[in-house]
Structures are given as structure tokens and as C-alpha cells.
Amino acid sequence: LSPRGYDPIAALHGGEPVGRKIMNVLGNSPHDLGSRSGLTNLALKTEFAKLYGSESVKEATAGSASDEEDTIGNRAGLINREKLLAWCMSTGLSRNSRLNAVLSPCIVDESSRQEDGTIQIKPNTRTRFFTDDTQHGLCIVLGLAELLGFDLERDMPQALYVVRRLQKWMKKEFVLPQEKVTAGSKIVSDAKDVSETSAPQAFGVKSVQELKRFLQLDVFSETHELNAEGVLKNSGLMARL
């Protein structure tokens, strides 16, 4: 969804070069999907309105075709050759012999033991299978989408569904459950356990401008602007002025 020029971040499809090449050739690059879905334009309009006011947006877009509600966001037909790509992924995952060695972390549910000795198992939600990909993966994406002004229910239903289902198993609330969502509520910001994620909202970031300032923080607490000003003040050029 990033504008051109941010390719090192925005053009990644999980880092697999062949799959990324195929997605791009078929017109499913992040740039293509962002433009085709209307989400890139929506994010730019939202940020412009926050900076300069909604009236400025109306003036800037006067005479242009307005986006219809049902043409923005995730919808059927958005991904080119979706059925073919889904078949390729399903076939590849189901027949990948390397995945046979990957064991799913589970724990025994003693409370389910039957008289005949059968017992149930359930996923171990304290493993990195859950903690890495949920709090520090999908929650980041959902948090960024919320900052950009997207409707998570409309634009990211699959990601939101996965997090809601997993957090129920984990007995957490990284995003608001559907029954708690009301008019004006923020699905990520208002969640009880958002502080346990790596979403921008966990660090107090609630807008794109705040995110920009947050990303400029130096891990070594260095203030480059002040350092540059100090060097300039002590330079020979300033001494002659």
C-alpha cells in the first residue's frame, strides 16, 4: 500500500522470490492491489484530510470520480487468477514433504479423558507458532491498517478472523471481538491486551504522523539534528559570521 519508492518494504511477498515474481507478473503486486482496491487512494485522502481539513480534500478532488463504497477494499475478483493461485498454494502445502517434519505443538487435555482411555489434545498457545505470528505479525498489519483509516471488517476480514479465532484460544484480546465493536470504536486501539503486541498502538502511536516520529527515534538515543547543529555552530563558517 506504500507509494512508489518504498519498494524495499512494500514489495515483499514473504521473501520467496519465485512466488513474488509470479504474483507481480500476474498484476498482484502490493502496488497493483493497493491501487486496484482503492485503498492507497483512500489512505492518501484520509491523511490529507487530517493535515489540511476535509474541505481541502473536496477542493483537491473536485471534478474527479468519487470512490463508491462497494468498490473500495477487499472484494471478489480483486486478485487476478485467484482460483489458480489458491490451487497452487493448496497443492504445494499439502504435498510438501518438508512440512511432515514440522510437529504441531499440542498439550494433553486431561479433563477430556474418557472411560475407554481416549483423550483429547489441544494447541499449545504459549509456543512461537502463536505468539510470533499473532502478536508480532498479524497484529502489526492490522494496527497499520487502522492508522491508515481502513475499515478492518471490510478491508481485512481474513486477517481479522484469524486473530479473533486465535486470541480466543489464547484467552487474550489483541483486537476487539465482533460483539464488542460499536460505532466509533477502534478494533486495535481499544483492545484490552493490545500492549502485548507489536502493533503501533501498543507504543501509544495513534496516527500516521505519530508513526513517522516514532520511526525516527534512534535506538542509541542519538539526536542527529542537535549533533548537526552543534557541529555547524562550531564550524569555521559560523565563526566568520
Side-chain angles (χ1 to χ4, degrees), residues 125-159:
T125 59
R126 296 185 179 182
T127 63
R128 292 178 60 185
F129 277 66
F130 286 83
T131 57
D132 281 11
D133 293 344
T134 308
Q135 293 106 299
H136 310 299
L138 290 174
C139 287
I140 297 177
V141 178
L142 291 172
L144 289 172
E146 186 173 276
L147 289 185
L148 292 171
F150 297 162
D151 184 337
L152 301 187
E153 299 275 9
R154 179 196 66 191
D155 303 328
M156 304 187 71
Q158 289 88 353

PDB file of all heavy atoms in Angstrom, residues 125-159:
ATOM      1  N   THR A 125      -0.882 -22.820  23.057  1.00  0.00           N
ATOM      2  CA  THR A 125      -0.910 -21.422  22.618  1.00  0.00           C
ATOM      3  C   THR A 125       0.246 -20.594  23.177  1.00  0.00           C
ATOM      4  O   THR A 125       0.334 -19.403  22.881  1.00  0.00           O
ATOM      5  CB  THR A 125      -2.236 -20.767  23.030  1.00  0.00           C
ATOM      6  OG1 THR A 125      -2.384 -20.834  24.458  1.00  0.00           O
ATOM      7  CG2 THR A 125      -3.403 -21.478  22.376  1.00  0.00           C
ATOM      8  N   ARG A 126       1.113 -21.205  23.960  1.00  0.00           N
ATOM      9  CA  ARG A 126       2.261 -20.468  24.510  1.00  0.00           C
ATOM     10  C   ARG A 126       3.514 -20.631  23.663  1.00  0.00           C
ATOM     11  O   ARG A 126       4.583 -20.161  24.041  1.00  0.00           O
ATOM     12  CB  ARG A 126       2.538 -20.919  25.938  1.00  0.00           C
ATOM     13  CG  ARG A 126       1.397 -20.609  26.905  1.00  0.00           C
ATOM     14  CD  ARG A 126       1.770 -20.966  28.336  1.00  0.00           C
ATOM     15  NE  ARG A 126       0.691 -20.638  29.270  1.00  0.00           N
ATOM     16  CZ  ARG A 126       0.761 -20.806  30.581  1.00  0.00           C
ATOM     17  NH1 ARG A 126       1.867 -21.325  31.111  1.00  0.00           N
ATOM     18  NH2 ARG A 126      -0.261 -20.487  31.353  1.00  0.00           N
ATOM     19  N   THR A 127       3.404 -21.304  22.552  1.00  0.00           N
ATOM     20  CA  THR A 127       4.562 -21.519  21.682  1.00  0.00           C
ATOM     21  C   THR A 127       4.658 -20.394  20.657  1.00  0.00           C
ATOM     22  O   THR A 127       3.720 -19.615  20.446  1.00  0.00           O
ATOM     23  CB  THR A 127       4.451 -22.867  20.949  1.00  0.00           C
ATOM     24  OG1 THR A 127       3.293 -22.833  20.093  1.00  0.00           O
ATOM     25  CG2 THR A 127       4.312 -24.004  21.945  1.00  0.00           C
ATOM     26  N   ARG A 128       5.804 -20.349  19.975  1.00  0.00           N
ATOM     27  CA  ARG A 128       6.036 -19.288  18.994  1.00  0.00           C
ATOM     28  C   ARG A 128       5.140 -19.425  17.772  1.00  0.00           C
ATOM     29  O   ARG A 128       4.984 -18.467  17.009  1.00  0.00           O
ATOM     30  CB  ARG A 128       7.506 -19.299  18.576  1.00  0.00           C
ATOM     31  CG  ARG A 128       8.444 -18.887  19.694  1.00  0.00           C
ATOM     32  CD  ARG A 128       9.891 -18.950  19.253  1.00  0.00           C
ATOM     33  NE  ARG A 128      10.150 -18.068  18.129  1.00  0.00           N
ATOM     34  CZ  ARG A 128      11.313 -18.012  17.491  1.00  0.00           C
ATOM     35  NH1 ARG A 128      12.302 -18.792  17.876  1.00  0.00           N
ATOM     36  NH2 ARG A 128      11.477 -17.190  16.484  1.00  0.00           N
ATOM     37  N   PHE A 129       4.541 -20.600  17.566  1.00  0.00           N
ATOM     38  CA  PHE A 129       3.570 -20.747  16.481  1.00  0.00           C
ATOM     39  C   PHE A 129       2.447 -19.724  16.648  1.00  0.00           C
ATOM     40  O   PHE A 129       1.885 -19.236  15.670  1.00  0.00           O
ATOM     41  CB  PHE A 129       2.973 -22.161  16.485  1.00  0.00           C
ATOM     42  CG  PHE A 129       3.826 -23.182  15.790  1.00  0.00           C
ATOM     43  CD1 PHE A 129       5.067 -23.529  16.294  1.00  0.00           C
ATOM     44  CD2 PHE A 129       3.389 -23.790  14.632  1.00  0.00           C
ATOM     45  CE1 PHE A 129       5.853 -24.469  15.662  1.00  0.00           C
ATOM     46  CE2 PHE A 129       4.171 -24.735  13.981  1.00  0.00           C
ATOM     47  CZ  PHE A 129       5.411 -25.071  14.502  1.00  0.00           C
ATOM     48  N   PHE A 130       2.113 -19.416  17.894  1.00  0.00           N
ATOM     49  CA  PHE A 130       1.045 -18.470  18.176  1.00  0.00           C
ATOM     50  C   PHE A 130       1.601 -17.080  18.482  1.00  0.00           C
ATOM     51  O   PHE A 130       1.177 -16.097  17.886  1.00  0.00           O
ATOM     52  CB  PHE A 130       0.210 -18.962  19.367  1.00  0.00           C
ATOM     53  CG  PHE A 130      -0.684 -20.120  19.039  1.00  0.00           C
ATOM     54  CD1 PHE A 130      -0.196 -21.409  19.037  1.00  0.00           C
ATOM     55  CD2 PHE A 130      -2.017 -19.921  18.727  1.00  0.00           C
ATOM     56  CE1 PHE A 130      -1.020 -22.487  18.733  1.00  0.00           C
ATOM     57  CE2 PHE A 130      -2.855 -20.987  18.418  1.00  0.00           C
ATOM     58  CZ  PHE A 130      -2.350 -22.271  18.420  1.00  0.00           C
ATOM     59  N   THR A 131       2.529 -16.998  19.422  1.00  0.00           N
ATOM     60  CA  THR A 131       2.971 -15.690  19.909  1.00  0.00           C
ATOM     61  C   THR A 131       3.677 -14.867  18.835  1.00  0.00           C
ATOM     62  O   THR A 131       3.475 -13.651  18.757  1.00  0.00           O
ATOM     63  CB  THR A 131       3.906 -15.865  21.120  1.00  0.00           C
ATOM     64  OG1 THR A 131       5.019 -16.693  20.748  1.00  0.00           O
ATOM     65  CG2 THR A 131       3.169 -16.524  22.265  1.00  0.00           C
ATOM     66  N   ASP A 132       4.503 -15.489  18.012  1.00  0.00           N
ATOM     67  CA  ASP A 132       5.227 -14.734  16.984  1.00  0.00           C
ATOM     68  C   ASP A 132       4.291 -14.234  15.892  1.00  0.00           C
ATOM     69  O   ASP A 132       4.288 -13.052  15.543  1.00  0.00           O
ATOM     70  CB  ASP A 132       6.328 -15.589  16.349  1.00  0.00           C
ATOM     71  CG  ASP A 132       7.563 -15.673  17.228  1.00  0.00           C
ATOM     72  OD1 ASP A 132       7.469 -15.248  18.401  1.00  0.00           O
ATOM     73  OD2 ASP A 132       8.603 -16.158  16.769  1.00  0.00           O
ATOM     74  N   ASP A 133       3.501 -15.140  15.343  1.00  0.00           N
ATOM     75  CA  ASP A 133       2.709 -14.800  14.168  1.00  0.00           C
ATOM     76  C   ASP A 133       1.459 -14.002  14.498  1.00  0.00           C
ATOM     77  O   ASP A 133       0.908 -13.337  13.621  1.00  0.00           O
ATOM     78  CB  ASP A 133       2.309 -16.072  13.411  1.00  0.00           C
ATOM     79  CG  ASP A 133       3.522 -16.773  12.801  1.00  0.00           C
ATOM     80  OD1 ASP A 133       4.577 -16.126  12.713  1.00  0.00           O
ATOM     81  OD2 ASP A 133       3.407 -17.947  12.451  1.00  0.00           O
ATOM     82  N   THR A 134       1.002 -14.060  15.724  1.00  0.00           N
ATOM     83  CA  THR A 134      -0.217 -13.329  16.088  1.00  0.00           C
ATOM     84  C   THR A 134       0.124 -11.931  16.591  1.00  0.00           C
ATOM     85  O   THR A 134      -0.121 -10.936  15.910  1.00  0.00           O
ATOM     86  CB  THR A 134      -1.022 -14.096  17.161  1.00  0.00           C
ATOM     87  OG1 THR A 134      -1.238 -15.437  16.726  1.00  0.00           O
ATOM     88  CG2 THR A 134      -2.371 -13.430  17.392  1.00  0.00           C
ATOM     89  N   GLN A 135       0.729 -11.848  17.789  1.00  0.00           N
ATOM     90  CA  GLN A 135       1.030 -10.535  18.357  1.00  0.00           C
ATOM     91  C   GLN A 135       2.027  -9.738  17.527  1.00  0.00           C
ATOM     92  O   GLN A 135       1.897  -8.531  17.381  1.00  0.00           O
ATOM     93  CB  GLN A 135       1.601 -10.678  19.779  1.00  0.00           C
ATOM     94  CG  GLN A 135       0.636 -11.211  20.798  1.00  0.00           C
ATOM     95  CD  GLN A 135       0.947 -12.633  21.163  1.00  0.00           C
ATOM     96  OE1 GLN A 135       0.921 -13.506  20.311  1.00  0.00           O
ATOM     97  NE2 GLN A 135       1.239 -12.874  22.430  1.00  0.00           N
ATOM     98  N   HIS A 136       3.031 -10.413  16.994  1.00  0.00           N
ATOM     99  CA  HIS A 136       4.117  -9.698  16.329  1.00  0.00           C
ATOM    100  C   HIS A 136       4.112  -9.903  14.819  1.00  0.00           C
ATOM    101  O   HIS A 136       5.142  -9.760  14.161  1.00  0.00           O
ATOM    102  CB  HIS A 136       5.450 -10.145  16.927  1.00  0.00           C
ATOM    103  CG  HIS A 136       5.459 -10.100  18.431  1.00  0.00           C
ATOM    104  ND1 HIS A 136       5.275  -8.926  19.132  1.00  0.00           N
ATOM    105  CD2 HIS A 136       5.557 -11.083  19.366  1.00  0.00           C
ATOM    106  CE1 HIS A 136       5.299  -9.180  20.431  1.00  0.00           C
ATOM    107  NE2 HIS A 136       5.464 -10.477  20.604  1.00  0.00           N
ATOM    108  N   GLY A 137       2.955 -10.267  14.291  1.00  0.00           N
ATOM    109  CA  GLY A 137       2.808 -10.443  12.854  1.00  0.00           C
ATOM    110  C   GLY A 137       1.514  -9.810  12.379  1.00  0.00           C
ATOM    111  O   GLY A 137       1.480  -8.655  11.943  1.00  0.00           O
ATOM    112  N   LEU A 138       0.427 -10.541  12.504  1.00  0.00           N
ATOM    113  CA  LEU A 138      -0.863 -10.069  12.015  1.00  0.00           C
ATOM    114  C   LEU A 138      -1.342  -8.807  12.741  1.00  0.00           C
ATOM    115  O   LEU A 138      -1.956  -7.929  12.134  1.00  0.00           O
ATOM    116  CB  LEU A 138      -1.913 -11.175  12.164  1.00  0.00           C
ATOM    117  CG  LEU A 138      -1.755 -12.381  11.234  1.00  0.00           C
ATOM    118  CD1 LEU A 138      -2.774 -13.454  11.584  1.00  0.00           C
ATOM    119  CD2 LEU A 138      -1.896 -11.968   9.786  1.00  0.00           C
ATOM    120  N   CYS A 139      -1.042  -8.710  14.036  1.00  0.00           N
ATOM    121  CA  CYS A 139      -1.490  -7.526  14.786  1.00  0.00           C
ATOM    122  C   CYS A 139      -0.801  -6.246  14.296  1.00  0.00           C
ATOM    123  O   CYS A 139      -1.392  -5.163  14.338  1.00  0.00           O
ATOM    124  CB  CYS A 139      -1.242  -7.719  16.281  1.00  0.00           C
ATOM    125  SG  CYS A 139      -2.381  -8.897  17.057  1.00  0.00           S
ATOM    126  N   ILE A 140       0.440  -6.378  13.849  1.00  0.00           N
ATOM    127  CA  ILE A 140       1.138  -5.209  13.297  1.00  0.00           C
ATOM    128  C   ILE A 140       0.439  -4.742  12.032  1.00  0.00           C
ATOM    129  O   ILE A 140       0.196  -3.541  11.831  1.00  0.00           O
ATOM    130  CB  ILE A 140       2.610  -5.542  13.006  1.00  0.00           C
ATOM    131  CG1 ILE A 140       3.343  -5.898  14.292  1.00  0.00           C
ATOM    132  CG2 ILE A 140       3.295  -4.371  12.307  1.00  0.00           C
ATOM    133  CD1 ILE A 140       4.785  -6.317  14.077  1.00  0.00           C
ATOM    134  N   VAL A 141       0.100  -5.689  11.160  1.00  0.00           N
ATOM    135  CA  VAL A 141      -0.564  -5.355   9.897  1.00  0.00           C
ATOM    136  C   VAL A 141      -1.921  -4.709  10.165  1.00  0.00           C
ATOM    137  O   VAL A 141      -2.277  -3.691   9.555  1.00  0.00           O
ATOM    138  CB  VAL A 141      -0.720  -6.618   9.028  1.00  0.00           C
ATOM    139  CG1 VAL A 141      -1.451  -6.283   7.737  1.00  0.00           C
ATOM    140  CG2 VAL A 141       0.628  -7.237   8.723  1.00  0.00           C
ATOM    141  N   LEU A 142      -2.687  -5.276  11.099  1.00  0.00           N
ATOM    142  CA  LEU A 142      -3.994  -4.709  11.430  1.00  0.00           C
ATOM    143  C   LEU A 142      -3.851  -3.324  12.052  1.00  0.00           C
ATOM    144  O   LEU A 142      -4.651  -2.419  11.773  1.00  0.00           O
ATOM    145  CB  LEU A 142      -4.740  -5.644  12.382  1.00  0.00           C
ATOM    146  CG  LEU A 142      -5.205  -6.980  11.791  1.00  0.00           C
ATOM    147  CD1 LEU A 142      -5.762  -7.883  12.886  1.00  0.00           C
ATOM    148  CD2 LEU A 142      -6.249  -6.758  10.712  1.00  0.00           C
ATOM    149  N   GLY A 143      -2.832  -3.152  12.894  1.00  0.00           N
ATOM    150  CA  GLY A 143      -2.612  -1.848  13.517  1.00  0.00           C
ATOM    151  C   GLY A 143      -2.263  -0.782  12.499  1.00  0.00           C
ATOM    152  O   GLY A 143      -2.772   0.350  12.566  1.00  0.00           O
ATOM    153  N   LEU A 144      -1.409  -1.122  11.537  1.00  0.00           N
ATOM    154  CA  LEU A 144      -1.048  -0.168  10.487  1.00  0.00           C
ATOM    155  C   LEU A 144      -2.265   0.179   9.633  1.00  0.00           C
ATOM    156  O   LEU A 144      -2.462   1.345   9.265  1.00  0.00           O
ATOM    157  CB  LEU A 144       0.059  -0.751   9.608  1.00  0.00           C
ATOM    158  CG  LEU A 144       1.446  -0.863  10.253  1.00  0.00           C
ATOM    159  CD1 LEU A 144       2.399  -1.628   9.345  1.00  0.00           C
ATOM    160  CD2 LEU A 144       2.012   0.518  10.566  1.00  0.00           C
ATOM    161  N   ALA A 145      -3.075  -0.821   9.317  1.00  0.00           N
ATOM    162  CA  ALA A 145      -4.269  -0.574   8.518  1.00  0.00           C
ATOM    163  C   ALA A 145      -5.223   0.369   9.238  1.00  0.00           C
ATOM    164  O   ALA A 145      -5.837   1.248   8.623  1.00  0.00           O
ATOM    165  CB  ALA A 145      -4.962  -1.897   8.198  1.00  0.00           C
ATOM    166  N   GLU A 146      -5.334   0.200  10.554  1.00  0.00           N
ATOM    167  CA  GLU A 146      -6.216   1.085  11.325  1.00  0.00           C
ATOM    168  C   GLU A 146      -5.678   2.516  11.311  1.00  0.00           C
ATOM    169  O   GLU A 146      -6.457   3.470  11.200  1.00  0.00           O
ATOM    170  CB  GLU A 146      -6.333   0.575  12.763  1.00  0.00           C
ATOM    171  CG  GLU A 146      -7.338   1.343  13.599  1.00  0.00           C
ATOM    172  CD  GLU A 146      -7.554   0.706  14.960  1.00  0.00           C
ATOM    173  OE1 GLU A 146      -8.366  -0.232  15.046  1.00  0.00           O
ATOM    174  OE2 GLU A 146      -6.898   1.148  15.937  1.00  0.00           O
ATOM    175  N   LEU A 147      -4.367   2.675  11.397  1.00  0.00           N
ATOM    176  CA  LEU A 147      -3.775   4.014  11.334  1.00  0.00           C
ATOM    177  C   LEU A 147      -4.073   4.689  10.001  1.00  0.00           C
ATOM    178  O   LEU A 147      -4.277   5.903   9.935  1.00  0.00           O
ATOM    179  CB  LEU A 147      -2.258   3.944  11.528  1.00  0.00           C
ATOM    180  CG  LEU A 147      -1.709   3.603  12.907  1.00  0.00           C
ATOM    181  CD1 LEU A 147      -0.193   3.703  12.910  1.00  0.00           C
ATOM    182  CD2 LEU A 147      -2.286   4.515  13.973  1.00  0.00           C
ATOM    183  N   LEU A 148      -4.088   3.900   8.933  1.00  0.00           N
ATOM    184  CA  LEU A 148      -4.318   4.448   7.600  1.00  0.00           C
ATOM    185  C   LEU A 148      -5.796   4.739   7.333  1.00  0.00           C
ATOM    186  O   LEU A 148      -6.148   5.258   6.278  1.00  0.00           O
ATOM    187  CB  LEU A 148      -3.794   3.479   6.538  1.00  0.00           C
ATOM    188  CG  LEU A 148      -2.274   3.320   6.501  1.00  0.00           C
ATOM    189  CD1 LEU A 148      -1.876   2.185   5.572  1.00  0.00           C
ATOM    190  CD2 LEU A 148      -1.605   4.617   6.067  1.00  0.00           C
ATOM    191  N   GLY A 149      -6.643   4.402   8.293  1.00  0.00           N
ATOM    192  CA  GLY A 149      -8.054   4.727   8.161  1.00  0.00           C
ATOM    193  C   GLY A 149      -8.884   3.673   7.477  1.00  0.00           C
ATOM    194  O   GLY A 149     -10.009   3.941   7.038  1.00  0.00           O
ATOM    195  N   PHE A 150      -8.385   2.440   7.372  1.00  0.00           N
ATOM    196  CA  PHE A 150      -9.139   1.383   6.705  1.00  0.00           C
ATOM    197  C   PHE A 150     -10.217   0.814   7.627  1.00  0.00           C
ATOM    198  O   PHE A 150     -10.090   0.838   8.850  1.00  0.00           O
ATOM    199  CB  PHE A 150      -8.207   0.247   6.269  1.00  0.00           C
ATOM    200  CG  PHE A 150      -7.168   0.671   5.257  1.00  0.00           C
ATOM    201  CD1 PHE A 150      -6.041  -0.087   5.039  1.00  0.00           C
ATOM    202  CD2 PHE A 150      -7.316   1.840   4.516  1.00  0.00           C
ATOM    203  CE1 PHE A 150      -5.085   0.296   4.119  1.00  0.00           C
ATOM    204  CE2 PHE A 150      -6.366   2.238   3.594  1.00  0.00           C
ATOM    205  CZ  PHE A 150      -5.244   1.461   3.392  1.00  0.00           C
ATOM    206  N   ASP A 151     -11.226   0.270   7.024  1.00  0.00           N
ATOM    207  CA  ASP A 151     -12.270  -0.461   7.740  1.00  0.00           C
ATOM    208  C   ASP A 151     -11.815  -1.912   7.822  1.00  0.00           C
ATOM    209  O   ASP A 151     -11.872  -2.642   6.831  1.00  0.00           O
ATOM    210  CB  ASP A 151     -13.589  -0.345   6.981  1.00  0.00           C
ATOM    211  CG  ASP A 151     -14.751  -1.004   7.714  1.00  0.00           C
ATOM    212  OD1 ASP A 151     -14.504  -1.903   8.545  1.00  0.00           O
ATOM    213  OD2 ASP A 151     -15.907  -0.638   7.442  1.00  0.00           O
ATOM    214  N   LEU A 152     -11.356  -2.354   8.993  1.00  0.00           N
ATOM    215  CA  LEU A 152     -10.771  -3.685   9.118  1.00  0.00           C
ATOM    216  C   LEU A 152     -11.785  -4.780   8.826  1.00  0.00           C
ATOM    217  O   LEU A 152     -11.423  -5.824   8.266  1.00  0.00           O
ATOM    218  CB  LEU A 152     -10.178  -3.874  10.521  1.00  0.00           C
ATOM    219  CG  LEU A 152      -9.084  -2.886  10.941  1.00  0.00           C
ATOM    220  CD1 LEU A 152      -8.482  -3.306  12.274  1.00  0.00           C
ATOM    221  CD2 LEU A 152      -8.007  -2.775   9.880  1.00  0.00           C
ATOM    222  N   GLU A 153     -13.032  -4.566   9.216  1.00  0.00           N
ATOM    223  CA  GLU A 153     -14.063  -5.564   8.953  1.00  0.00           C
ATOM    224  C   GLU A 153     -14.274  -5.742   7.449  1.00  0.00           C
ATOM    225  O   GLU A 153     -14.515  -6.848   6.969  1.00  0.00           O
ATOM    226  CB  GLU A 153     -15.389  -5.154   9.608  1.00  0.00           C
ATOM    227  CG  GLU A 153     -15.332  -5.017  11.117  1.00  0.00           C
ATOM    228  CD  GLU A 153     -15.543  -6.348  11.822  1.00  0.00           C
ATOM    229  OE1 GLU A 153     -15.570  -7.388  11.133  1.00  0.00           O
ATOM    230  OE2 GLU A 153     -15.664  -6.343  13.056  1.00  0.00           O
ATOM    231  N   ARG A 154     -14.169  -4.672   6.711  1.00  0.00           N
ATOM    232  CA  ARG A 154     -14.409  -4.704   5.273  1.00  0.00           C
ATOM    233  C   ARG A 154     -13.148  -5.038   4.477  1.00  0.00           C
ATOM    234  O   ARG A 154     -13.182  -5.846   3.547  1.00  0.00           O
ATOM    235  CB  ARG A 154     -14.942  -3.340   4.810  1.00  0.00           C
ATOM    236  CG  ARG A 154     -15.204  -3.223   3.313  1.00  0.00           C
ATOM    237  CD  ARG A 154     -15.341  -1.763   2.900  1.00  0.00           C
ATOM    238  NE  ARG A 154     -14.080  -1.049   3.064  1.00  0.00           N
ATOM    239  CZ  ARG A 154     -13.953   0.275   2.989  1.00  0.00           C
ATOM    240  NH1 ARG A 154     -15.024   1.020   2.795  1.00  0.00           N
ATOM    241  NH2 ARG A 154     -12.775   0.853   3.138  1.00  0.00           N
ATOM    242  N   ASP A 155     -12.036  -4.403   4.859  1.00  0.00           N
ATOM    243  CA  ASP A 155     -10.840  -4.483   4.040  1.00  0.00           C
ATOM    244  C   ASP A 155      -9.901  -5.625   4.396  1.00  0.00           C
ATOM    245  O   ASP A 155      -9.090  -6.040   3.569  1.00  0.00           O
ATOM    246  CB  ASP A 155     -10.058  -3.159   4.133  1.00  0.00           C
ATOM    247  CG  ASP A 155     -10.904  -1.966   3.732  1.00  0.00           C
ATOM    248  OD1 ASP A 155     -11.779  -2.146   2.861  1.00  0.00           O
ATOM    249  OD2 ASP A 155     -10.703  -0.868   4.280  1.00  0.00           O
ATOM    250  N   MET A 156      -9.967  -6.135   5.637  1.00  0.00           N
ATOM    251  CA  MET A 156      -9.060  -7.200   6.058  1.00  0.00           C
ATOM    252  C   MET A 156      -9.811  -8.272   6.840  1.00  0.00           C
ATOM    253  O   MET A 156      -9.436  -8.622   7.963  1.00  0.00           O
ATOM    254  CB  MET A 156      -7.919  -6.615   6.911  1.00  0.00           C
ATOM    255  CG  MET A 156      -7.158  -5.511   6.211  1.00  0.00           C
ATOM    256  SD  MET A 156      -5.713  -4.959   7.132  1.00  0.00           S
ATOM    257  CE  MET A 156      -4.642  -6.362   6.932  1.00  0.00           C
ATOM    258  N   PRO A 157     -10.890  -8.808   6.283  1.00  0.00           N
ATOM    259  CA  PRO A 157     -11.717  -9.757   7.044  1.00  0.00           C
ATOM    260  C   PRO A 157     -10.992 -11.050   7.394  1.00  0.00           C
ATOM    261  O   PRO A 157     -11.197 -11.596   8.480  1.00  0.00           O
ATOM    262  CB  PRO A 157     -12.903 -10.020   6.098  1.00  0.00           C
ATOM    263  CG  PRO A 157     -12.379  -9.731   4.728  1.00  0.00           C
ATOM    264  CD  PRO A 157     -11.411  -8.602   4.914  1.00  0.00           C
ATOM    265  N   GLN A 158     -10.141 -11.550   6.482  1.00  0.00           N
ATOM    266  CA  GLN A 158      -9.463 -12.818   6.768  1.00  0.00           C
ATOM    267  C   GLN A 158      -8.465 -12.674   7.908  1.00  0.00           C
ATOM    268  O   GLN A 158      -8.434 -13.484   8.835  1.00  0.00           O
ATOM    269  CB  GLN A 158      -8.745 -13.339   5.511  1.00  0.00           C
ATOM    270  CG  GLN A 158      -9.681 -13.854   4.432  1.00  0.00           C
ATOM    271  CD  GLN A 158     -10.122 -12.750   3.484  1.00  0.00           C
ATOM    272  OE1 GLN A 158      -9.831 -11.583   3.700  1.00  0.00           O
ATOM    273  NE2 GLN A 158     -10.830 -13.123   2.432  1.00  0.00           N
ATOM    274  N   ALA A 159      -7.629 -11.627   7.845  1.00  0.00           N
ATOM    275  CA  ALA A 159      -6.641 -11.417   8.907  1.00  0.00           C
ATOM    276  C   ALA A 159      -7.327 -11.182  10.245  1.00  0.00           C
ATOM    277  O   ALA A 159      -6.894 -11.690  11.284  1.00  0.00           O
ATOM    278  CB  ALA A 159      -5.740 -10.225   8.552  1.00  0.00           C
TER     279      ALA A 159
END
